[in-house]
Amino acid sequence: MLLQCANGVDCHCSQSVTVGDTVALVVPAAGKGAIAFVVIRHASRDTRRLGSVSARDGGSWHWSQLLWEMAHWRDHRQECSRMAEQMMRAGAVHDFPFSFAEDTTQLVDVGAITVCSFLENCDLHLKGLWKAQCDCASSVEEFATPSDACQLSESHMMDWASYYSWRSLPLESPVALILHWPLTLYHAFCLIWKHSSTFRANVERACVIHYLGPEKELDMLEAFSELLALLPHRHVHIDMIGPGVSASRDGKALDLNEYPKCLDEDCLCKTSRGSGVKVRGRVTIKLWRGLYHERYSELETSPHFIFAPNAGLAAFPSWQPTLRLILSSKVPAIFTDYCEEAADLALRSVSPACSSPPTHNVQLNPFRQPLCPRDKQLNLPTYSNCFLFGIN
């Protein structure tokens, strides 16, 4: 059971609180939803743990409830109520069609298995682009998908289920762990396409995307060749700008002119017949080291839209000059974040500076990564590119 604030709202925060000589740290416990109080200083007494708190814990509940009401509720009333509402929607966030979803969400979350052990069971550990999913390898040489992903036909995907059906992928294939990057970018394109007739007219033949703050995906650039199939008949150019780009890669360009190859050495895609499949478009990527507002004047082409994955706008002050630039440009921009609370705070932080309402309110990304991150900060449903919103 979650510890409840003064009005009975379950709380999902983590913070330290002080009353008199007592300093306590409030943290989500390892079990489902419990919150533990850890006393880190109480007069001259040694550090001790009070343990998980529930309404049936007698004296510890009354002491902790008083501490909570005095130090927490005044400042966090709105946050706690909002998080409680978000937890009511947790079922939809955790809902994936994959047969492996329990492994990569629940079991990884509680530490019952690791990402490495999951990939080993799939015979993918340290193979191709899958190396970027764990810390066991220092470099990634190539992109590889399961062989079932080789057959392509043009269609419009609404979620993972429709994408897997289009690709004739079995639901036990973990390729979504990698392809959530290009699929989320594709989804952002589709959202803006539906919203703006001007955008539709301007991207018939080519689309320029300014992609802000790349990190993990820098080791998975070949995965963006999937855009050849998702957005055919046009040249998609992506400028990736961020401090995560190494100095040695600053200015490097990549031309993706082939569909992804799979892991099966005997697959049709490895033969002259398979390699002769006509590619109906082009994807190019150029890397830029630094912050967007610092390198913007050097970029060669103005964007049709701006995309910032897992942005954390409310958490990092370094976003402020970049946000001013984005708002002044009037270019459509889509931001994603790890959980609904982070996306909600981000939109709240940027809304006062916007001249118009958001083009897309905070919403669940149907192509979020079906893998629980190892370092999540809140006891809330959390996935890479989990929620998104749009401005301009």
Side-chain angles (χ1 to χ4, degrees), residues 285-296:
I285 299 174
K286 188 168 183 178
L287 304 180
W288 303 80
R289 177 176 172 81
L291 300 177
Y292 186 52
H293 60 276
E294 296 173 344
R295 301 299 303 268
Y296 180 78

Side-chain angles (χ1 to χ4, degrees), residues 87-109:
M87 286 301 293
M88 294 178 66
R89 297 187 287 272
V93 182
H94 292 311
D95 185 20
F96 293 101
F98 312 116
S99 59
F100 62 84
E102 181 179 359
D103 291 347
T104 58
T105 57
Q106 298 178 34
L107 297 185
V108 169
D109 188 21

Side-chain angles (χ1 to χ4, degrees), residues 67-361:
L67 175 65
W68 191 263
E69 291 180 6
M70 292 175 62
H72 177 85
W73 181 243
R74 178 181 302 173
D75 296 331
H76 292 272
R77 180 186 322 170
Q78 294 180 347
E79 287 84 350
C80 291
S81 299
R82 191 167 62 243
M83 289 183 187
E85 293 176 1
Q86 293 166 10
M87 286 301 293
M88 294 178 66
R89 297 187 287 272
V93 182
H94 292 311
D95 185 20
F96 293 101
F98 312 116
S99 59
F100 62 84
E102 181 179 359
D103 291 347
T104 58
T105 57
Q106 298 178 34
L107 297 185
V108 169
D109 188 21
V110 300
I113 66 170
T114 65
V115 176
C116 293
S117 63
F118 170 75
L119 293 176
E120 286 174 352
N121 290 336
C122 299
D123 195 28
L124 292 171
H125 191 233
L126 298 181
K127 291 185 178 181
L129 200 62
W130 299 98
K131 292 181 180 181
Q133 292 299 318
C134 65
D135 301 325
C136 298
S138 58
S139 63
V140 178
E141 294 90 11
E142 60 180 346
F143 174 56
T145 66
S147 57
D148 298 309
C150 283
Q151 302 303 316
L152 294 171
S153 61
E154 187 174 351
S155 184
H156 178 67
M157 276 61 63
M158 302 297 297
D159 51 26
W160 281 124
S162 58
Y163 172 76
Y164 267 54
S165 175
W166 173 67
R167 285 295 236 145
S168 299
L169 282 164
L171 290 176
E172 58 265 24
S173 169
V175 71
L177 301 184
I178 292 175
L179 292 184
H180 83 285
W181 297 109
L183 266 293
T184 297
L185 187 60
Y186 163 78
H187 183 58
F189 176 96
C190 292
L191 288 176
I192 300 171
W193 175 278
K194 294 176 182 178
H195 177 78
S196 172
S197 59
T198 301
F199 179 81
R200 291 195 294 272
N202 290 338
V203 298
E204 284 294 335
R205 296 293 182 182
C207 180
V208 177
I209 304 166
H210 286 182
Y211 189 116
L212 312 189
E215 292 181 344
K216 294 180 180 180
E217 58 270 51
L218 291 170
D219 287 329
M220 310 180 194
L221 294 181
E222 289 82 359
F224 288 87
S225 61
E226 185 69 1
L227 294 174
L228 290 168
L230 293 166
L231 298 173
H233 309 298
R234 59 175 58 84
H235 177 194
V236 178
H237 176 74
I238 307 170
D239 283 309
M240 289 191 173
I241 312 103
V245 176
S246 65
S248 64
R249 300 179 77 183
D250 187 16
K252 297 293 185 181
L254 183 65
D255 194 337
L256 303 174
N257 52 21
E258 290 184 328
Y259 293 129
K261 300 293 192 299
C262 73
L263 289 172
D264 186 354
E265 290 300 326
D266 297 324
C267 180
L268 176 66
C269 73
K270 301 294 195 305
T271 68
S272 58
R273 179 186 170 194
S275 59
V277 175
K278 182 176 178 59
V279 175
R280 300 163 297 172
R282 185 184 180 197
V283 174
T284 55
I285 299 174
K286 188 168 183 178
L287 304 180
W288 303 80
R289 177 176 172 81
L291 300 177
Y292 186 52
H293 60 276
E294 296 173 344
R295 301 299 303 268
Y296 180 78
S297 62
E298 303 173 53
L299 300 180
E300 298 159 356
T301 312
S302 298
H304 291 104
F305 78 94
I306 297 167
F307 178 72
N310 298 323
L313 296 185
F316 300 102
S318 58
W319 271 107
Q320 294 309 309
T322 287
L323 281 172
R324 288 194 290 270
L325 173 61
I326 293 173
L327 290 171
S328 64
S329 73
K330 303 297 183 181
V331 174
I334 298 289
F335 301 87
T336 77
D337 226 312
Y338 282 96
C339 66
E340 186 176 1
E341 176 67 4
D344 187 85
L345 290 174
L347 182 55
R348 288 170 182 264
S349 69
V350 71
S351 290
C354 295
S355 58
S356 59
T359 54
H360 302 88
N361 288 313

Side-chain angles (χ1 to χ4, degrees), residues 17-30:
V17 292
T18 305
V19 175
D21 292 329
T22 298
V23 179
L25 180 66
V26 186
V27 296

